[in-house]
Amino acid sequence: METSLKKKSVVEELRKMILAAEGFSAPNGSDELPGDLGPMEKAFPMGTFPLGAIHEFISNSAEEAAASTGFIACLIGRLMQRKGPCLWVSIGKRLFPPSLLGFGIEPHRVIFINLHGEKDALWVLEEALKCPSLAAVVGEIRELDLTASRRLQLAVEQSRVTGFLHRYRPRRLNNLACVSRWNIRPLGSLQDGRLPGIGHPLWEVQLGKIRNGRPGTWHLCWKAGNFRHIAPDAPVKKKVYTHTGT
């Protein structure tokens, strides 16, 4: 029994060393995403959302783009509870800043940079990700190659800033150095008592790729500043979408 425990301990230490070499640090309380992510946490290495890494979100329609923006805003709002402001880089200016209030973010704490070309956007993203005083950096950019993504990942490994790349209708889904790839789809909102109107945002969250983790799909509702896991057969009301754009 003692020999078996020693082997398990050695294997666990080796696993932690490999994860650390790949940019994953062991959670220590201050370096974790605040709040509960429910069953989704089991998908992540070490059971915690990877910080100091680049996460990729793919949207193939305007509805998916709005849902992805809302989901990203939920994560960023939690990060900003412990750290500084967020920098949001976009091409085309699709975001309506006051809508961030619904996801726990005060718009004046977000630095918005709107550009016209992807080359300029990539340069701003890389420089912003090197700034350790930022809680997170969001980049709304369509195309990205492996070399550029590696530069972004190297930047966050030094600064420990978390980056979110939102790619709207990319021409091709190439392999990148990002630790994860997500697709967020809007679902019909949940009934909230007997009150009429639009309910709380409900999403189908698909984690298609996660380095050293377990991909999966969940139905998550955003209510009262928290994620709530919803069974797929839960009753819903009319189809509504999470609106976070202009």
Side-chain angles (χ1 to χ4, degrees), residues 36-37 71 74-75 78 203 220-222 225-229:
D36 182 18
L37 295 180
F71 184 78
C74 294
L75 299 175
R78 292 190 168 186
W203 304 299
L220 297 180
C221 176
W222 179 254
N226 290 294
F227 288 111
R228 299 190 181 185
H229 182 253

Side-chain angles (χ1 to χ4, degrees), residues 82-206:
R82 289 183 176 173
K83 294 188 68 176
C86 166
L87 190 139
W88 200 298
V89 181
S90 65
I91 301 174
K93 194 178 180 180
R94 291 191 300 268
L95 179 69
F96 181 58
S99 66
L100 295 175
L101 287 170
F103 302 102
I105 298 179
E106 297 177 347
H108 71 270
R109 295 191 62 204
V110 181
I111 304 169
F112 296 99
I113 300 180
N114 299 307
L115 301 167
H116 297 289
E118 291 190 349
K119 184 176 180 180
D120 293 336
L122 280 173
W123 182 84
V124 172
L125 281 172
E126 183 177 351
E127 294 302 309
L129 289 168
K130 295 176 183 178
C131 181
S133 60
L134 292 173
V137 175
V138 182
E140 293 181 330
I141 187 167
R142 185 180 183 186
E143 304 302 332
L144 190 72
D145 60 25
L146 180 60
T147 300
S149 68
R150 283 175 175 170
R151 292 176 63 91
L152 300 181
Q153 182 60 35
L154 287 173
V156 299
E157 288 176 3
Q158 295 294 323
S159 65
R160 302 305 300 165
V161 174
T162 305
F164 300 87
L165 298 180
H166 187 187
R167 304 179 63 194
Y168 178 54
R169 291 180 177 173
R171 286 188 289 270
R172 57 193 180 115
L173 296 179
N174 47 322
N175 290 325
L176 301 178
C178 305
V179 301
S180 67
R181 173 175 285 174
W182 304 74
N183 184 263
I184 315 296
R185 298 183 178 92
L187 299 175
S189 62
L190 290 176
Q191 293 279 2
D192 189 9
R194 296 182 179 179
L195 295 177
I198 297 177
H200 300 286
L202 178 62
W203 304 299
E204 180 186 83
V205 177
Q206 180 181 11

Side-chain angles (χ1 to χ4, degrees), residues 1 23 27 31-32 40 44 59 109 132 147 170 190 212 219 241:
M1 179 66 72
D31 194 30
E32 294 183 62
M40 189 165 56
F44 304 129
S59 296
R109 295 191 62 204
T147 300
L190 290 176
N212 294 309
H219 288 185
Y241 298 108

